[in-house]
Amino acid sequence: MTYGSFSDCEAGMAENDSREYYRFVAQNAFRGILWLSVIVALYVLVQLYIPAEWLSWTEPLTGNPPLMFLVFFLSETLFGLIPMELFIFWAKDQMLGLSGFSAYVLLFSCLSFLGGLIAFYAGVWAHRIPLLKRLSELESFQTYATLYRRWGGVVITLAALTPLPYATISFLSATFRFPLSRYLLYASARFVRFFIVGWGTWYSTDLWHWFQQPAAHALGEWAPALFLVLGLG
């Protein structure tokens, strides 16, 4: 299904109030930062307080790196079914050192970028393949199509950097006949997100302990009891 030309999207975007546009960008940037903060905090809590044997049921998957990369690639191609942060956390747990962890993060980012590109080409053929055409008519797709009509190519960058569904936006980019060269330019922000998440994950425990020290100093004698209640001790 073809929604219209990219030039139509740009024209619509030019007519929007600039304050509303920047509010849209700021809101999604804030959501991205909030999402990353919450999920990294949850990761640290799991690492500190959840016994390893409780997670042993995941071993058939997590103990097989090629299978993990395959599952990730399929997820990134099929509209981001699994949060990418979970795979970055898994990479850190492999105890490969900083160089090995960085290589895994780079490989994940390349697979994600490739998955988005495949979704883009699926959008090119959406009007010719009945299944893809039906997918493009789903209500969830229509919601993001509305965003795309209104804000144009900036949605691609936001999808690459924030929890907006990256593969879905990539798919819609093609249905709007967005130029491939410009799509690749905006989508390259995906590598930035993986770098940020990788950095935050690698130093998450250090950052957690750094937070505890000034908080304990500020709270004084109440700190041990409060940390115990919150599970931060």
Side-chain angles (χ1 to χ4, degrees):
M1 181 176 183
T2 302
Y3 294 100
S5 67
F6 171 62
S7 59
D8 294 335
C9 296
E10 285 192 319
M13 181 179 169
E15 297 172 358
N16 285 312
D17 180 79
S18 60
R19 286 181 297 179
E20 189 173 355
Y21 166 73
Y22 287 118
R23 187 183 305 116
F24 169 75
V25 173
Q27 285 176 345
N28 281 278
F30 174 76
R31 289 170 183 167
I33 295 172
L34 181 62
W35 169 257
L36 177 61
S37 301
V38 169
I39 201 164
V40 169
L42 290 175
Y43 167 73
V44 173
L45 288 174
V46 169
Q47 292 295 304
L48 294 177
Y49 300 108
I50 301 299
E53 55 269 20
W54 287 16
L55 303 176
S56 60
W57 60 273
T58 64
E59 184 62 27
L61 174 62
T62 58
N64 188 334
L67 183 58
M68 286 290 289
F69 284 112
L70 176 60
V71 170
F72 173 79
F73 177 67
L74 292 176
S75 173
E76 290 294 282
T77 305
L78 301 174
F79 314 123
L81 301 177
I82 306 174
M84 49 81 70
E85 291 85 357
L86 297 181
F87 294 92
I88 304 299
F89 299 159
W90 167 83
K92 184 183 180 183
D93 291 341
Q94 300 310 293
M95 303 298 181
L96 300 173
L98 181 57
S99 60
F101 173 73
S102 299
Y104 269 36
V105 172
L106 178 61
L107 180 54
F108 277 130
S109 64
C110 291
L111 290 174
S112 178
F113 188 80
L114 179 59
L117 185 59
I118 291 175
F120 180 91
Y121 277 106
V124 172
W125 292 89
H127 66 290
R128 301 183 183 182
I129 301 176
L131 176 60
L132 293 178
K133 184 176 181 179
R134 287 196 294 272
L135 281 174
S136 67
E137 294 171 349
L138 293 175
E139 183 178 352
S140 57
F141 275 84
Q142 296 295 324
T143 299
Y144 293 114
T146 300
L147 289 176
Y148 205 107
R149 287 192 189 96
R150 190 167 191 182
W151 305 117
V154 70
V155 177
I156 299 174
T157 301
L158 288 175
L161 291 171
T162 71
L164 279 175
Y166 174 63
T168 300
I169 298 301
S170 298
F171 179 87
L172 286 173
S173 298
T175 66
F176 278 104
R177 299 196 291 274
F178 195 91
L180 175 61
S181 59
R182 294 182 66 179
Y183 164 79
L184 293 174
L185 176 63
Y186 293 148
S188 62
R190 193 67 171 168
F191 292 97
V192 177
R193 181 177 183 185
F194 275 80
F195 171 80
I196 293 173
V197 174
W199 181 89
T201 300
W202 184 259
Y203 293 104
S204 57
T205 304
D206 293 337
L207 291 171
W208 192 263
H209 291 306
W210 174 86
F211 163 79
Q212 281 186 298
Q213 292 176 3
H217 178 74
L219 294 171
E221 61 182 11
W222 294 98
L226 182 58
F227 284 161
L228 180 62
V229 171
L230 296 177
L232 306 180

